[in-house]
Amino acid sequence: MNVSDAFHRYAEKVCEQIRWKKAHPAVAQEIEDHLTDQKNAYLAAGDSESIAEEKALLQMGDPVSVGAALDQTHKPAPQWGMIGLVLLLFVLGGIIQTLLLKTIPAGDDAFAARSAQVLFVFLPLSLAAFVGMYFLDFSFFGKHPYVLPLCLLLFDVIARMFGLDYGGQKWLSIGLLGLNISPSAISMLFPLAFCGLFYRLRSQGRRGYLISGVLAAVFCLFLSYCHTFSGVLTFVFSAGILMLIAAKKEWFGKKNQTILLLLFLLVVVCLIVLLMFYAPFRYQFAFRARTIFLPNSDVAGDGYVPAQLRAAISHSVFLGKGKDIVGISPILIEIPGMLRSDYLLTYLTYHYGWAVSGGLVLLLAVFLGLGLRKALKQKSIFGQMVSLTILCTFTAEILLYILANLGLWLIAPIALPFLSYGTMQLLFNMALAGVLLSVFRTGEVYRDTAPHPIFSDSKFIQWADGKLTITFK
């Protein structure tokens, strides 16, 4: 479709009146399309090219007045309700962590200093990450889909070379900043990294969808060997739902039930392969699974943690401190490091009652519900992809955390978003929340563009007629 210079100038004049610059491309496209449609109508009525163009401009009206009117309707949607909910959870997390300071044994100055560092250094850093991602253009992850995966790969290479062994994993420690980056924290970013590549592959249609399935399997294997199995499950949950929705909404072309079947088969095969061949988890899974069905079979061994957690939960009351536990010493829910990260909900339930822990879970559920409603209203494919991916990541984290705190101790949880500390887990969760709200803030004017194919029809190296041809463009 050819657009005349006069139409371009008109659209530019309209956009000059709109203060929100991010809305300019979408408004200009809409204006030019409308003018072109009007021009074609006049041409069909028998007017000449110049007359039809002039009539279309006259009918549209004064560009300054049109732009001023559009300026009133094209503004960022700040999402104050969801911002307030995130900040409420963030503040409640800070209050809870402050209360946990009283559990630090006298004389443990090192842990006290670390806890103070969390409260006075990492809380501001996490808040800054949230604000920074909130004002970031979320389309960055679609325009540059390789940046985040390459950064994650670079982290793993550096961690393997220079990281510290902790619990059988490689942690990257940055001493000057006091940062200890764990594999479980990094695993939270893999669903978003996959999302950008998945969006880019939609240009390939069904082939791109199947390539995405293979890519998801590669991500799973990489996570299982370099990170944690909780990270694997979080990724499978997020990527699986994203691929299912993509097939349902025909983002990769005409709907095909075979694709849906391949999706579920891929997820099942990935999990079976991981359980069969990932030796460290295979060994732990057999013993930990037994604790679900036979919780008292080995309370001094593999059932030690579930037994303590279930004892604390069973002696909890609706409001206030739970009943005294007889027979099992609840050491686990008195260890400050465990309380701050992995078993915060169990501690709150036992010491403050089901009402407190249930209230926090309810707030998280409201956050997820509001987010889902807004995600499904996004007009762009990429806006929906990013928001749904992040919401699925949060959902998987919350479900794994609740199961672990109920004593179903198959795998260690990653974090309870906004509330449990894990310093880097808190920082990354706040950053993901910022990206999510960035989508809701500016997604109204984002328009999907035809992505450049990852795989071109032309070949990089060709051999024909005795000549070797290398194509660089």
Side-chain angles (χ1 to χ4, degrees), residues 130-150:
F130 171 72
V131 174
M133 292 297 103
Y134 175 74
F135 287 106
L136 176 74
D137 184 356
F138 74 93
S139 64
F140 171 86
F141 298 103
K143 295 175 181 176
H144 309 283
Y146 308 107
V147 173
L148 184 55
L150 288 176

Side-chain angles (χ1 to χ4, degrees), residues 90-91 93-95 97-98 117-128 421 426 430:
F90 180 74
V91 170
I95 293 172
Q97 296 300 323
T98 302
Q117 182 187 39
V118 169
L119 291 174
F120 299 111
V121 176
F122 285 100
L123 260 67
L125 282 177
S126 300
L127 187 59
Y421 299 6
L426 174 65
M430 289 296 288

Side-chain angles (χ1 to χ4, degrees), residues 56-96:
L57 290 170
L58 286 173
Q59 186 190 49
M60 197 70 179
D62 177 50
V64 174
S65 299
V66 172
L70 291 174
D71 179 58
Q72 299 301 313
T73 58
H74 288 75
K75 298 178 181 179
Q79 308 299 319
W80 294 118
M82 292 200 70
I83 289 176
L85 189 54
V86 170
L87 293 180
L88 173 61
L89 288 165
F90 180 74
V91 170
L92 287 174
I95 293 172
I96 291 170

Side-chain angles (χ1 to χ4, degrees), residues 6-264:
F7 289 176
H8 276 306
R9 290 194 296 271
Y10 184 93
E12 288 176 357
K13 192 67 175 178
V14 170
C15 289
E16 287 175 1
Q17 318 307 314
I18 301 175
R19 289 167 289 183
W20 188 22
K21 296 186 181 300
K22 188 175 176 61
H24 288 186
V27 171
Q29 184 65 47
E30 186 176 344
I31 292 291
E32 291 172 0
D33 289 347
H34 182 71
L35 286 170
T36 302
D37 290 341
Q38 288 299 317
K39 175 184 173 180
N40 291 335
Y42 288 123
L43 288 173
D47 291 329
S48 66
E49 183 87 11
S50 59
I51 296 298
E53 188 173 290
E54 183 179 351
K55 284 185 175 181
L57 290 170
L58 286 173
Q59 186 190 49
M60 197 70 179
D62 177 50
V64 174
S65 299
V66 172
L70 291 174
D71 179 58
Q72 299 301 313
T73 58
H74 288 75
K75 298 178 181 179
Q79 308 299 319
W80 294 118
M82 292 200 70
I83 289 176
L85 189 54
V86 170
L87 293 180
L88 173 61
L89 288 165
F90 180 74
V91 170
L92 287 174
I95 293 172
I96 291 170
Q97 296 300 323
T98 302
L99 292 174
L100 289 178
L101 291 176
K102 68 181 183 180
T103 65
I104 300 175
D108 193 348
D109 296 334
F111 191 83
R114 179 63 177 169
S115 299
Q117 182 187 39
V118 169
L119 291 174
F120 299 111
V121 176
F122 285 100
L123 260 67
L125 282 177
S126 300
L127 187 59
F130 171 72
V131 174
M133 292 297 103
Y134 175 74
F135 287 106
L136 176 74
D137 184 356
F138 74 93
S139 64
F140 171 86
F141 298 103
K143 295 175 181 176
H144 309 283
Y146 308 107
V147 173
L148 184 55
L150 288 176
C151 288
L152 295 175
L153 179 61
L154 180 62
F155 164 83
D156 281 305
V157 171
I158 295 175
R160 288 285 166 181
M161 295 175 62
F162 306 106
L164 303 175
D165 285 312
Y166 183 79
Q169 299 173 344
K170 289 286 188 177
W171 288 49
L172 187 60
S173 179
I174 305 176
L176 293 176
L177 300 176
L179 296 176
N180 293 309
I181 308 176
S182 68
S184 65
I186 290 294
S187 68
M188 296 159 51
L189 302 178
F190 274 78
L192 183 58
F194 174 78
C195 176
L197 296 172
F198 187 57
Y199 176 73
R200 191 67 174 268
L201 281 165
R202 70 189 177 90
S203 64
Q204 304 295 310
R206 182 185 298 182
R207 180 174 67 161
Y209 190 88
L210 295 177
I211 292 173
S212 299
V214 175
L215 186 63
V218 172
F219 271 55
C220 287
L221 291 172
F222 185 79
L223 280 165
S224 66
Y225 281 96
C226 298
H227 294 268
T228 62
F229 200 76
S230 54
V232 175
L233 292 182
T234 299
F235 176 80
V236 168
F237 181 80
S238 303
I241 289 182
L242 181 63
M243 294 182 70
L244 181 62
I245 292 176
K248 184 76 172 177
K249 290 181 173 286
E250 303 180 13
W251 288 341
F252 282 73
K254 190 176 181 180
K255 187 175 180 181
N256 192 317
Q257 295 299 323
T258 304
I259 291 180
L260 296 177
L261 179 60
L262 288 174
L263 165 67
F264 289 110

Side-chain angles (χ1 to χ4, degrees), residues 274-315:
L274 289 171
L275 291 176
M276 289 177 61
F277 297 104
Y278 182 43
F281 181 76
R282 180 182 61 191
Y283 170 77
Q284 298 174 18
F285 182 84
F287 289 95
R288 292 180 179 179
R290 185 177 61 182
T291 64
I292 295 179
F293 305 102
L294 300 171
N296 299 318
S297 61
D298 189 16
V299 294
D302 289 283
Y304 177 72
V305 171
Q308 289 209 18
L309 293 172
R310 293 178 184 184
I313 290 295
S314 63
H315 287 75

